[in-house]
């Protein structure tokens, strides 16, 4: 029997991201719905200081700080 997993990515318009300027958790993804651009949080930097994900690089390596039996993706 297979089970389905739903992954939810935070998303909003570019202007709303800039206005809210949140800090994304380490490895958390933020998607701009109007530009199609993506950022990955580091747990410390605000939205405006995070770089956009390199559109040419389709791979993302995430190093989890502590071992865990449950993953937060």
């Amino acid at each position: 029997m297979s089970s389905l997993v739903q992954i939810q990515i935070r998303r909003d318009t570019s202007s709303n991201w800039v206005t809210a300027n949140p800090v994304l958790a380490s490895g958390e993804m933020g998607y701009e719905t109007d530009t199609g651009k993506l950022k990955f949080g580091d747990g410390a930097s605000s939205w405006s200081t995070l770089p956009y994900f390199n559109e040419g690089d389709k791979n993302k390596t995430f190093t989890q700080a502590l071992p865990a039996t449950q993953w937060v993706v």
Side-chain angles (χ1 to χ4, degrees), residues 10-24 30-35 39 46-48 52:
R10 282 179 70 175
R11 61 207 182 284
D12 211 332
T13 62
S14 176
S15 62
N16 286 345
W17 280 115
V18 171
T19 300
N21 203 27
V23 173
L24 299 179
Y31 179 71
E32 290 182 353
T33 56
D34 54 341
T35 67
K39 292 186 178 190
S46 62
W47 177 265
S48 61
Y52 285 105

